[in-house]
Amino acid sequence: MLLHHPPRDELDLPSILHALSDPQRLGIVRQLAAQGGACACYSLAIEGTKSTRTHHLRVLREAGLIHQEMVGTSKFNALRRADIDARFPGLLDAVLADKASLAVAPPAQANASLVDAHAAVARATLRSA
Amino acid sequence: MLLHHPPRDELDLPSILHALSDPQRLGIVRQLAAQGGACACYSLAIEGTKSTRTHHLRVLREAGLIHQEMVGTSKFNALRRADIDARFPGLLDAVLADKASLAVAPPAQANASLVDAHAAVARATLRSA
DNA sequence: AGCATAGTTCGATGTTCGTTGAACTATATG
DNA sequence: CATATAGTTCAACGAACATCGAACTATGCT
């Protein structure tokens, strides 16, 4: 089932700032920014249990900061860089430029990239042929 | 008594973002930015009682977003624009550029500026001479 | 001195938040 | 079919938050 993502023109500054005010979520956004492409949930370095991870990623999606889509049993997450930059020019640059907070982001695990996701999609397509 | 203001190098991004994630406090910061100089508490347009106003202004000061000082019975508040811009370049510009949130900021009351504050100080000096 | 004004503090209240473990769903694989 | 993996939901918990009214403090003025 499709996840709801707020459209670009409905992005709300207080919601975005609230989502980013939590150190965990700020760290997630930094990891996604550093990655450039999409990351699977399990490859993100997030403190706490899977419930906590699900919670934080949902807050980020509902604020409009990330795009999420399922591929098989995995969910891939990507920063909505273009949307955020268009709606609030300079905000992400300013937030991501801060290096003092980098110390609190744990080292990212080996990432499952969108390449793996596409491979999974290809396998599914081959099977239905 | 002097109020504690975090020094520039101790400004913390999550705390700043948390302070700004509340629509009331975001509105206060916009008013102070538009004003340019310092504003007395009573001249800020803030929803709720004086307790609420005191609460929000304290959160902004403790996050390091504003500078506060007493003059007589009034407290004057000013945005720490230079400190914030030095510590997180572009952040305030991006936050203040958002026009969609402007609709929720009530019209600012006639401001008591620092000119009035200086007049009060002058009167006090004259009296002690 | 008393009075007025600005602002603060405190405890209370209801709400929101981050976190968790148990139970669950969906997909992929053999 | 069973099993494994990824991810979700729910209720519970303790903490944090925004708001308020009553009571208070500090300063300025007469």
Side-chain angles (χ1 to χ4, degrees), chain B residues 41-42 50-51 53-54 73 75:
Chain B
C41 292
Y42 62 79
K50 290 204 286 180
S51 318
R53 188 180 71 191
T54 296
T73 55
K75 179 179 276 172

PDB file of all heavy atoms in Angstrom, chain B residues 41-42 50-51 53-54 73 75, chain C residues 4-11:
ATOM      1  N   CYS B  41       8.846  43.030  26.058  1.00  0.00           N
ATOM      2  CA  CYS B  41       7.944  41.871  26.089  1.00  0.00           C
ATOM      3  C   CYS B  41       6.510  42.266  25.768  1.00  0.00           C
ATOM      4  O   CYS B  41       5.842  41.594  24.969  1.00  0.00           O
ATOM      5  CB  CYS B  41       7.968  41.193  27.462  1.00  0.00           C
ATOM      6  SG  CYS B  41       9.524  40.408  27.812  1.00  0.00           S
ATOM      7  N   TYR B  42       6.043  43.344  26.417  1.00  0.00           N
ATOM      8  CA  TYR B  42       4.627  43.695  26.266  1.00  0.00           C
ATOM      9  C   TYR B  42       4.264  44.125  24.856  1.00  0.00           C
ATOM     10  O   TYR B  42       3.096  44.196  24.504  1.00  0.00           O
ATOM     11  CB  TYR B  42       4.207  44.762  27.288  1.00  0.00           C
ATOM     12  CG  TYR B  42       4.933  46.061  27.151  1.00  0.00           C
ATOM     13  CD1 TYR B  42       4.574  46.986  26.177  1.00  0.00           C
ATOM     14  CD2 TYR B  42       6.002  46.374  27.991  1.00  0.00           C
ATOM     15  CE1 TYR B  42       5.242  48.178  26.046  1.00  0.00           C
ATOM     16  CE2 TYR B  42       6.675  47.575  27.877  1.00  0.00           C
ATOM     17  CZ  TYR B  42       6.300  48.481  26.900  1.00  0.00           C
ATOM     18  OH  TYR B  42       6.975  49.652  26.788  1.00  0.00           O
ATOM     19  N   LYS B  50       0.483  36.058  30.350  1.00  0.00           N
ATOM     20  CA  LYS B  50       1.871  36.497  30.576  1.00  0.00           C
ATOM     21  C   LYS B  50       2.760  35.315  30.961  1.00  0.00           C
ATOM     22  O   LYS B  50       3.953  35.319  30.635  1.00  0.00           O
ATOM     23  CB  LYS B  50       1.893  37.567  31.675  1.00  0.00           C
ATOM     24  CG  LYS B  50       1.266  38.874  31.194  1.00  0.00           C
ATOM     25  CD  LYS B  50       1.766  40.055  31.983  1.00  0.00           C
ATOM     26  CE  LYS B  50       1.172  40.104  33.379  1.00  0.00           C
ATOM     27  NZ  LYS B  50       1.676  41.277  34.132  1.00  0.00           N
ATOM     28  N   SER B  51       2.186  34.314  31.644  1.00  0.00           N
ATOM     29  CA  SER B  51       2.949  33.108  31.984  1.00  0.00           C
ATOM     30  C   SER B  51       3.455  32.421  30.716  1.00  0.00           C
ATOM     31  O   SER B  51       4.605  31.987  30.650  1.00  0.00           O
ATOM     32  CB  SER B  51       2.086  32.094  32.740  1.00  0.00           C
ATOM     33  OG  SER B  51       1.304  32.726  33.685  1.00  0.00           O
ATOM     34  N   ARG B  53       3.832  33.772  27.782  1.00  0.00           N
ATOM     35  CA  ARG B  53       4.829  34.629  27.132  1.00  0.00           C
ATOM     36  C   ARG B  53       6.201  34.453  27.783  1.00  0.00           C
ATOM     37  O   ARG B  53       7.217  34.281  27.094  1.00  0.00           O
ATOM     38  CB  ARG B  53       4.387  36.090  27.246  1.00  0.00           C
ATOM     39  CG  ARG B  53       5.213  37.067  26.459  1.00  0.00           C
ATOM     40  CD  ARG B  53       4.702  38.467  26.632  1.00  0.00           C
ATOM     41  NE  ARG B  53       4.966  38.990  27.976  1.00  0.00           N
ATOM     42  CZ  ARG B  53       4.443  40.106  28.463  1.00  0.00           C
ATOM     43  NH1 ARG B  53       3.595  40.824  27.732  1.00  0.00           N
ATOM     44  NH2 ARG B  53       4.727  40.510  29.665  1.00  0.00           N
ATOM     45  N   THR B  54       6.212  34.488  29.135  1.00  0.00           N
ATOM     46  CA  THR B  54       7.474  34.291  29.861  1.00  0.00           C
ATOM     47  C   THR B  54       8.099  32.943  29.501  1.00  0.00           C
ATOM     48  O   THR B  54       9.313  32.843  29.277  1.00  0.00           O
ATOM     49  CB  THR B  54       7.222  34.374  31.375  1.00  0.00           C
ATOM     50  OG1 THR B  54       6.771  35.692  31.700  1.00  0.00           O
ATOM     51  CG2 THR B  54       8.496  34.075  32.159  1.00  0.00           C
ATOM     52  N   THR B  73      11.304  48.041  34.796  1.00  0.00           N
ATOM     53  CA  THR B  73      10.430  46.869  34.940  1.00  0.00           C
ATOM     54  C   THR B  73      10.217  46.162  33.600  1.00  0.00           C
ATOM     55  O   THR B  73       9.536  45.149  33.550  1.00  0.00           O
ATOM     56  CB  THR B  73       9.055  47.272  35.511  1.00  0.00           C
ATOM     57  OG1 THR B  73       8.496  48.300  34.685  1.00  0.00           O
ATOM     58  CG2 THR B  73       9.178  47.778  36.933  1.00  0.00           C
ATOM     59  N   LYS B  75      11.478  44.167  30.060  1.00  0.00           N
ATOM     60  CA  LYS B  75      12.552  43.332  29.539  1.00  0.00           C
ATOM     61  C   LYS B  75      12.594  43.522  28.027  1.00  0.00           C
ATOM     62  O   LYS B  75      11.570  43.450  27.354  1.00  0.00           O
ATOM     63  CB  LYS B  75      12.290  41.871  29.880  1.00  0.00           C
ATOM     64  CG  LYS B  75      13.356  40.935  29.357  1.00  0.00           C
ATOM     65  CD  LYS B  75      13.047  39.508  29.746  1.00  0.00           C
ATOM     66  CE  LYS B  75      13.532  39.197  31.146  1.00  0.00           C
ATOM     67  NZ  LYS B  75      13.081  37.879  31.612  1.00  0.00           N
TER      68      LYS B  75
ATOM     69  P    DA C   4      -3.598  51.696  41.785  1.00  0.00           P
ATOM     70  OP1  DA C   4      -4.798  52.383  41.259  1.00  0.00           O
ATOM     71  OP2  DA C   4      -3.708  50.356  42.428  1.00  0.00           O
ATOM     72  O5'  DA C   4      -2.523  51.597  40.617  1.00  0.00           O
ATOM     73  C5'  DA C   4      -2.005  52.797  40.049  1.00  0.00           C
ATOM     74  C4'  DA C   4      -0.953  52.444  39.005  1.00  0.00           C
ATOM     75  O4'  DA C   4       0.282  52.075  39.675  1.00  0.00           O
ATOM     76  C3'  DA C   4      -1.343  51.272  38.116  1.00  0.00           C
ATOM     77  O3'  DA C   4      -1.097  51.614  36.763  1.00  0.00           O
ATOM     78  C2'  DA C   4      -0.447  50.130  38.587  1.00  0.00           C
ATOM     79  C1'  DA C   4       0.776  50.864  39.133  1.00  0.00           C
ATOM     80  N9   DA C   4       1.448  50.153  40.203  1.00  0.00           N
ATOM     81  C8   DA C   4       0.886  49.592  41.319  1.00  0.00           C
ATOM     82  N7   DA C   4       1.758  49.016  42.121  1.00  0.00           N
ATOM     83  C5   DA C   4       2.974  49.225  41.486  1.00  0.00           C
ATOM     84  C6   DA C   4       4.290  48.857  41.831  1.00  0.00           C
ATOM     85  N6   DA C   4       4.602  48.190  42.927  1.00  0.00           N
ATOM     86  N1   DA C   4       5.279  49.206  40.982  1.00  0.00           N
ATOM     87  C2   DA C   4       4.969  49.888  39.870  1.00  0.00           C
ATOM     88  N3   DA C   4       3.770  50.289  39.440  1.00  0.00           N
ATOM     89  C4   DA C   4       2.805  49.920  40.311  1.00  0.00           C
ATOM     90  P    DT C   5      -1.569  50.618  35.585  1.00  0.00           P
ATOM     91  OP1  DT C   5      -2.062  51.474  34.485  1.00  0.00           O
ATOM     92  OP2  DT C   5      -2.410  49.548  36.176  1.00  0.00           O
ATOM     93  O5'  DT C   5      -0.188  49.966  35.141  1.00  0.00           O
ATOM     94  C5'  DT C   5       0.916  50.815  34.840  1.00  0.00           C
ATOM     95  C4'  DT C   5       2.153  49.972  34.659  1.00  0.00           C
ATOM     96  O4'  DT C   5       2.601  49.523  35.961  1.00  0.00           O
ATOM     97  C3'  DT C   5       1.943  48.735  33.807  1.00  0.00           C
ATOM     98  O3'  DT C   5       2.762  48.818  32.659  1.00  0.00           O
ATOM     99  C2'  DT C   5       2.336  47.565  34.714  1.00  0.00           C
ATOM    100  C1'  DT C   5       3.150  48.234  35.806  1.00  0.00           C
ATOM    101  N1   DT C   5       3.084  47.557  37.134  1.00  0.00           N
ATOM    102  C2   DT C   5       4.259  47.199  37.755  1.00  0.00           C
ATOM    103  O2   DT C   5       5.357  47.399  37.265  1.00  0.00           O
ATOM    104  N3   DT C   5       4.099  46.592  38.978  1.00  0.00           N
ATOM    105  C4   DT C   5       2.909  46.326  39.636  1.00  0.00           C
ATOM    106  O4   DT C   5       2.889  45.778  40.722  1.00  0.00           O
ATOM    107  C5   DT C   5       1.720  46.729  38.924  1.00  0.00           C
ATOM    108  C7   DT C   5       0.377  46.492  39.530  1.00  0.00           C
ATOM    109  C6   DT C   5       1.860  47.322  37.726  1.00  0.00           C
ATOM    110  P    DA C   6       2.665  47.694  31.519  1.00  0.00           P
ATOM    111  OP1  DA C   6       2.915  48.397  30.250  1.00  0.00           O
ATOM    112  OP2  DA C   6       1.439  46.885  31.711  1.00  0.00           O
ATOM    113  O5'  DA C   6       3.918  46.768  31.856  1.00  0.00           O
ATOM    114  C5'  DA C   6       5.211  47.350  31.982  1.00  0.00           C
ATOM    115  C4'  DA C   6       6.200  46.278  32.408  1.00  0.00           C
ATOM    116  O4'  DA C   6       5.978  45.971  33.808  1.00  0.00           O
ATOM    117  C3'  DA C   6       6.070  44.972  31.642  1.00  0.00           C
ATOM    118  O3'  DA C   6       7.344  44.623  31.134  1.00  0.00           O
ATOM    119  C2'  DA C   6       5.547  43.963  32.668  1.00  0.00           C
ATOM    120  C1'  DA C   6       6.008  44.572  33.998  1.00  0.00           C
ATOM    121  N9   DA C   6       5.123  44.256  35.122  1.00  0.00           N
ATOM    122  C8   DA C   6       3.767  44.398  35.187  1.00  0.00           C
ATOM    123  N7   DA C   6       3.254  44.039  36.340  1.00  0.00           N
ATOM    124  C5   DA C   6       4.352  43.650  37.088  1.00  0.00           C
ATOM    125  C6   DA C   6       4.474  43.153  38.402  1.00  0.00           C
ATOM    126  N6   DA C   6       3.427  42.975  39.222  1.00  0.00           N
ATOM    127  N1   DA C   6       5.719  42.845  38.847  1.00  0.00           N
ATOM    128  C2   DA C   6       6.748  43.026  38.017  1.00  0.00           C
ATOM    129  N3   DA C   6       6.757  43.480  36.763  1.00  0.00           N
ATOM    130  C4   DA C   6       5.505  43.772  36.355  1.00  0.00           C
ATOM    131  P    DG C   7       7.516  43.369  30.173  1.00  0.00           P
ATOM    132  OP1  DG C   7       8.722  43.597  29.362  1.00  0.00           O
ATOM    133  OP2  DG C   7       6.217  43.039  29.541  1.00  0.00           O
ATOM    134  O5'  DG C   7       7.848  42.215  31.241  1.00  0.00           O
ATOM    135  C5'  DG C   7       8.958  42.379  32.099  1.00  0.00           C
ATOM    136  C4'  DG C   7       8.940  41.312  33.162  1.00  0.00           C
ATOM    137  O4'  DG C   7       7.828  41.534  34.059  1.00  0.00           O
ATOM    138  C3'  DG C   7       8.776  39.879  32.642  1.00  0.00           C
ATOM    139  O3'  DG C   7       9.970  39.170  32.901  1.00  0.00           O
ATOM    140  C2'  DG C   7       7.591  39.325  33.412  1.00  0.00           C
ATOM    141  C1'  DG C   7       7.467  40.280  34.592  1.00  0.00           C
ATOM    142  N9   DG C   7       6.131  40.346  35.150  1.00  0.00           N
ATOM    143  C8   DG C   7       4.980  40.769  34.549  1.00  0.00           C
ATOM    144  N7   DG C   7       3.927  40.684  35.325  1.00  0.00           N
ATOM    145  C5   DG C   7       4.420  40.185  36.521  1.00  0.00           C
ATOM    146  C6   DG C   7       3.760  39.878  37.731  1.00  0.00           C
ATOM    147  O6   DG C   7       2.558  39.996  38.003  1.00  0.00           O
ATOM    148  N1   DG C   7       4.645  39.385  38.698  1.00  0.00           N
ATOM    149  C2   DG C   7       5.985  39.214  38.508  1.00  0.00           C
ATOM    150  N2   DG C   7       6.694  38.728  39.533  1.00  0.00           N
ATOM    151  N3   DG C   7       6.625  39.496  37.375  1.00  0.00           N
ATOM    152  C4   DG C   7       5.785  39.964  36.428  1.00  0.00           C
ATOM    153  P    DT C   8      10.064  37.594  32.739  1.00  0.00           P
ATOM    154  OP1  DT C   8      11.458  37.264  32.447  1.00  0.00           O
ATOM    155  OP2  DT C   8       8.978  37.162  31.845  1.00  0.00           O
ATOM    156  O5'  DT C   8       9.720  37.088  34.216  1.00  0.00           O
ATOM    157  C5'  DT C   8      10.473  37.602  35.315  1.00  0.00           C
ATOM    158  C4'  DT C   8      10.252  36.724  36.530  1.00  0.00           C
ATOM    159  O4'  DT C   8       8.921  36.946  37.062  1.00  0.00           O
ATOM    160  C3'  DT C   8      10.356  35.226  36.233  1.00  0.00           C
ATOM    161  O3'  DT C   8      11.204  34.640  37.201  1.00  0.00           O
ATOM    162  C2'  DT C   8       8.923  34.714  36.329  1.00  0.00           C
ATOM    163  C1'  DT C   8       8.261  35.713  37.260  1.00  0.00           C
ATOM    164  N1   DT C   8       6.814  35.943  37.002  1.00  0.00           N
ATOM    165  C2   DT C   8       5.900  35.690  37.995  1.00  0.00           C
ATOM    166  O2   DT C   8       6.199  35.270  39.091  1.00  0.00           O
ATOM    167  N3   DT C   8       4.598  35.953  37.651  1.00  0.00           N
ATOM    168  C4   DT C   8       4.125  36.437  36.458  1.00  0.00           C
ATOM    169  O4   DT C   8       2.929  36.634  36.277  1.00  0.00           O
ATOM    170  C5   DT C   8       5.132  36.676  35.451  1.00  0.00           C
ATOM    171  C7   DT C   8       4.742  37.194  34.116  1.00  0.00           C
ATOM    172  C6   DT C   8       6.420  36.427  35.771  1.00  0.00           C
ATOM    173  P    DT C   9      11.663  33.115  37.026  1.00  0.00           P
ATOM    174  OP1  DT C   9      13.053  33.048  37.494  1.00  0.00           O
ATOM    175  OP2  DT C   9      11.276  32.645  35.689  1.00  0.00           O
ATOM    176  O5'  DT C   9      10.732  32.376  38.092  1.00  0.00           O
ATOM    177  C5'  DT C   9      10.637  32.913  39.396  1.00  0.00           C
ATOM    178  C4'  DT C   9       9.588  32.162  40.182  1.00  0.00           C
ATOM    179  O4'  DT C   9       8.272  32.613  39.794  1.00  0.00           O
ATOM    180  C3'  DT C   9       9.612  30.649  39.975  1.00  0.00           C
ATOM    181  O3'  DT C   9       9.651  30.052  41.258  1.00  0.00           O
ATOM    182  C2'  DT C   9       8.316  30.352  39.225  1.00  0.00           C
ATOM    183  C1'  DT C   9       7.416  31.492  39.668  1.00  0.00           C
ATOM    184  N1   DT C   9       6.347  31.888  38.713  1.00  0.00           N
ATOM    185  C2   DT C   9       5.060  32.017  39.176  1.00  0.00           C
ATOM    186  O2   DT C   9       4.752  31.813  40.330  1.00  0.00           O
ATOM    187  N3   DT C   9       4.149  32.426  38.236  1.00  0.00           N
ATOM    188  C4   DT C   9       4.391  32.700  36.896  1.00  0.00           C
ATOM    189  O4   DT C   9       3.486  33.068  36.153  1.00  0.00           O
ATOM    190  C5   DT C   9       5.762  32.543  36.477  1.00  0.00           C
ATOM    191  C7   DT C   9       6.139  32.813  35.067  1.00  0.00           C
ATOM    192  C6   DT C   9       6.668  32.149  37.394  1.00  0.00           C
ATOM    193  P    DC C  10      10.069  28.519  41.403  1.00  0.00           P
ATOM    194  OP1  DC C  10      10.968  28.447  42.569  1.00  0.00           O
ATOM    195  OP2  DC C  10      10.470  27.993  40.091  1.00  0.00           O
ATOM    196  O5'  DC C  10       8.685  27.834  41.811  1.00  0.00           O
ATOM    197  C5'  DC C  10       7.873  28.450  42.803  1.00  0.00           C
ATOM    198  C4'  DC C  10       6.479  27.860  42.734  1.00  0.00           C
ATOM    199  O4'  DC C  10       5.729  28.533  41.705  1.00  0.00           O
ATOM    200  C3'  DC C  10       6.466  26.387  42.388  1.00  0.00           C
ATOM    201  O3'  DC C  10       5.971  25.656  43.502  1.00  0.00           O
ATOM    202  C2'  DC C  10       5.572  26.262  41.161  1.00  0.00           C
ATOM    203  C1'  DC C  10       4.874  27.607  41.077  1.00  0.00           C
ATOM    204  N1   DC C  10       4.645  28.104  39.697  1.00  0.00           N
ATOM    205  C2   DC C  10       3.368  28.549  39.339  1.00  0.00           C
ATOM    206  O2   DC C  10       2.459  28.515  40.178  1.00  0.00           O
ATOM    207  N3   DC C  10       3.165  29.022  38.089  1.00  0.00           N
ATOM    208  C4   DC C  10       4.176  29.045  37.204  1.00  0.00           C
ATOM    209  N4   DC C  10       3.940  29.510  35.997  1.00  0.00           N
ATOM    210  C5   DC C  10       5.483  28.579  37.555  1.00  0.00           C
ATOM    211  C6   DC C  10       5.669  28.126  38.801  1.00  0.00           C
ATOM    212  P    DG C  11       6.116  24.091  43.581  1.00  0.00           P
ATOM    213  OP1  DG C  11       6.486  23.765  44.973  1.00  0.00           O
ATOM    214  OP2  DG C  11       6.944  23.638  42.449  1.00  0.00           O
ATOM    215  O5'  DG C  11       4.628  23.580  43.336  1.00  0.00           O
ATOM    216  C5'  DG C  11       3.544  24.234  43.992  1.00  0.00           C
ATOM    217  C4'  DG C  11       2.256  23.949  43.250  1.00  0.00           C
ATOM    218  O4'  DG C  11       2.237  24.701  42.008  1.00  0.00           O
ATOM    219  C3'  DG C  11       2.077  22.479  42.872  1.00  0.00           C
ATOM    220  O3'  DG C  11       0.752  22.096  43.215  1.00  0.00           O
ATOM    221  C2'  DG C  11       2.317  22.454  41.363  1.00  0.00           C
ATOM    222  C1'  DG C  11       1.871  23.846  40.949  1.00  0.00           C
ATOM    223  N9   DG C  11       2.500  24.351  39.732  1.00  0.00           N
ATOM    224  C8   DG C  11       3.814  24.233  39.349  1.00  0.00           C
ATOM    225  N7   DG C  11       4.079  24.810  38.201  1.00  0.00           N
ATOM    226  C5   DG C  11       2.857  25.343  37.808  1.00  0.00           C
ATOM    227  C6   DG C  11       2.520  26.084  36.636  1.00  0.00           C
ATOM    228  O6   DG C  11       3.254  26.423  35.710  1.00  0.00           O
ATOM    229  N1   DG C  11       1.170  26.430  36.634  1.00  0.00           N
ATOM    230  C2   DG C  11       0.259  26.102  37.617  1.00  0.00           C
ATOM    231  N2   DG C  11      -0.985  26.525  37.441  1.00  0.00           N
ATOM    232  N3   DG C  11       0.576  25.421  38.703  1.00  0.00           N
ATOM    233  C4   DG C  11       1.884  25.072  38.737  1.00  0.00           C
TER     234       DG C  11
END
